[in-house]
Amino acid sequence: MSTGVIVPAAGSGTRLGEALPKAFVDLDGRSILEVCVAGIVDAGIADSVVVVVPVDLIDTARTLVPDVTVVAGGAHRSESVRAGLDALGSDYDIVLVHDAARPLVPASVFRRVVDGVRAGHPAVVPGLPVADTLKQVDPSGSSSAERVVATVDREVLRAIQTPQGFTREALLRAHADDSGLATDDAGLAERCGIDVHVVPGDPLAFKITTPWDLRIARDVLAETGKVHP
Ligand code: C5P
């Protein structure tokens, strides 16, 4: 079975507070996007990779990652994934969607996700148990002190990461509704009744969102020199 990987990298990443869109911010002399694509290539699971970037950064991206296809994204993440799906074409039985914002994902996570789809699951996502106690609050109240509504049972919860893997057919079905906006592709799949399974994720698959995350990613790279074992 052949595997295509879509890398949505068209977000602005304003929460990071950097001048450039997130995927183009430097990690170790390489951008987040370059480290992410290197991880996908090193994992050895991809027959084709499509990177989706802001329209004004297409040329820059083609210089940074010359061996993969680069296309323009949309205003929402789901639109960017759909642009990637169009560019990938119909030659791949398995499609992974992997946020550029998670550049340090180990190869073992890619393999677990692909193996899960190969084993017959239409949708497979990596996830980790939640360490913190989780409380549901009433967000409409004061922002300085929100009222607690309930304590949620964390034993049945998983924090979901990427890459998320799908049969091509499942991902097409999940994205068939153009109005489908979601924070992840598995969420769209669930909405149309597709079974989603969770395999173990990895702490290194964390998403770079804040300046703190960026600092951790830079420190990990500086310390180990190499990720994606
Ligand atoms: O905003 P968030 O961190 O959830 O975005 C996750 C991933 O989706 C990032 O890699 C980001 O570049 C990408 N994205 C995109 N197109 C958008 C918004 C986000 O490709 N319009």
Side-chain angles (χ1 to χ4, degrees):
M1 290 174 110
S2 57
T3 302
V5 183
I6 298 168
V7 183
S12 57
T14 46
R15 285 170 291 180
L16 202 53
E18 298 278 325
L20 285 168
K22 181 161 53 182
F24 297 83
V25 170
D26 180 83
L27 270 186
D28 64 349
R30 295 173 298 164
S31 61
I32 291 176
L33 180 64
E34 287 169 273
V35 176
C36 181
V37 169
I40 295 167
V41 172
D42 287 356
I45 46 85
D47 298 296
S48 179
V49 179
V50 174
V51 167
V52 191
V53 300
V55 67
D56 54 323
L57 287 168
I58 286 187
D59 289 344
T60 308
R62 286 189 176 138
T63 312
L64 295 176
V65 285
D67 298 328
V68 305
T69 303
V70 178
V71 296
H76 299 283
R77 185 184 176 285
S78 321
E79 291 169 13
S80 298
V81 173
R82 283 193 273 276
L85 257 172
D86 286 345
L88 195 59
S90 56
D91 290 343
Y92 304 95
D93 318 292
I94 298 174
V95 181
L96 265 52
V97 184
H98 179 41
D99 287 341
R102 301 179 189 269
L104 306 186
V105 176
S108 54
V109 176
F110 283 99
R111 286 195 291 266
R112 280 197 285 276
V113 170
V114 171
D115 287 350
V117 182
R118 282 195 178 139
H121 297 305
V124 176
V125 299
L128 289 177
V130 182
D132 292 318
T133 295
L134 296 176
K135 295 198 188 291
Q136 182 185 343
V137 297
D138 175 4
S140 65
S142 151
S143 59
S144 62
E146 298 166 315
R147 195 179 69 83
V148 171
V149 176
T151 298
V152 182
D153 178 11
R154 70 181 179 199
E155 292 305 314
V156 296
L157 298 179
R158 299 291 177 264
I160 299 304
Q161 306 173 322
T162 75
Q164 301 194 345
F166 305 85
T167 60
R168 180 169 180 275
E169 192 220 329
L171 189 59
L172 282 176
R173 250 180 79 200
H175 278 273
D177 177 1
D178 269 2
S179 64
L181 299 177
T183 53
D184 77 344
D185 303 279
L188 292 176
E190 288 156 46
R191 273 189 225 163
C192 41
I194 295 168
D195 265 351
V196 178
H197 284 79
V198 180
V199 294
D202 193 288
L204 278 174
F206 71 96
K207 183 162 77 168
I208 299 176
T209 305
T210 64
W212 173 252
D213 304 323
L214 182 60
R215 188 173 144 191
I216 293 174
R218 284 175 173 160
D219 282 355
V220 168
L221 276 170
E223 209 174 285
T224 63
K226 177 165 166 53
V227 288
H228 313 130

